[in-house]
Amino acid sequence: MTDRNPNTQMPKWLLYGLIGKGILVVLVTAGVVAYVALH
């Protein structure tokens, strides 16, 4: 097993995309919870 195997390395754009999507989900969830709590 070598570290140069492309199948074991995730592309940076995909990694950043997953992180960004996760942050977006957290923000939307927090926004909905805050909206319901304040109204």
Side-chain angles (χ1 to χ4, degrees):
M1 300 250 302
T2 60
D3 291 336
R4 292 183 180 278
N5 188 351
N7 291 331
T8 59
Q9 206 167 19
M10 184 177 294
K12 286 211 185 306
W13 63 266
L14 184 59
L15 183 62
Y16 293 146
L18 289 174
I19 292 174
K21 196 178 297 183
I23 292 174
L24 185 64
V25 169
V26 170
L27 287 178
V28 169
T29 302
V32 171
V33 170
Y35 180 82
V36 170
L38 292 176
H39 293 70

